[in-house]
C-alpha cells in the first residue's frame, strides 16, 4: 500500500463532498477541540495551537456549508463535477448542436 499526503488529501476531499459524512466531520472536529488529547499539546505555544486552528477552520468551513445549503433551501446533494456541469450548460445553450460521443483510446 502506497501512502502519500496527496492520497490522504484526495480521500479527504471525496469524504467532504459527500453530505452523508459531513456531520461526522463536524462531530469529529468538535470532539477533537473539546478533547484534552491533541496531536501537538497546547503547552508548546505556537506549534500547539496550529493543529487546533486547522481543525477549527475545518469546523467553520463545514458549518458554513451546511448553513448556506439550508438558507438556499436546497436539499444536500453531492456536488456535480464542474466539467460535467459546463458540458450540460453548453449543450442546453446550443440546443441540438451537442453530440454525445463515447470515445475509446486506440493503441
Amino acid at each position: 500500500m502506497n501512502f502519500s499526503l496527496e492520497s490522504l488529501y484526495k480521500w479527504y476531499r471525496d469524504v467532504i463532498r459527500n453530505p452523508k459524512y459531513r456531520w461526522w466531520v463536524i462531530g469529529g472536529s468538535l470532539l477533537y477541540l473539546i478533547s484534552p488529547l491533541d496531536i501537538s499539546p497546547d503547552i508548546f505555544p505556537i506549534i500547539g495551537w496550529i493543529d487546533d486552528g486547522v481543525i477549527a477552520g475545518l469546523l467553520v468551513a463545514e458549518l458554513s456549508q451546511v448553513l448556506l445549503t439550508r438558507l438556499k433551501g436546497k436539499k444536500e446533494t453531492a456536488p456535480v463535477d464542474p466539467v460535467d456541469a459546463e458540458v450540460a450548460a453548453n449543450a442546453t445553450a446550443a440546443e441540438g448542436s451537442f453530440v454525445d460521443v463515447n470515445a475509446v483510446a486506440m493503441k
Side-chain angles (χ1 to χ4, degrees), residues 56-74:
L58 172 68
L59 178 64
V60 168
E62 288 305 308
L63 285 175
S64 66
Q65 285 295 324
V66 168
L67 290 174
L68 286 174
T69 303
R70 298 271 169 112
L71 288 175
K72 289 181 180 178
K74 295 181 180 177

Side-chain angles (χ1 to χ4, degrees), residues 12-33:
Y12 168 74
R13 276 189 23 199
D14 292 340
V15 168
I16 289 297
R17 287 184 180 171
N18 190 342
K20 179 173 68 173
Y21 297 116
R22 182 167 283 154
W23 291 107
W24 284 102
V25 171
I26 291 171
S29 59
L30 278 173
L31 184 66
Y32 181 81
L33 290 173

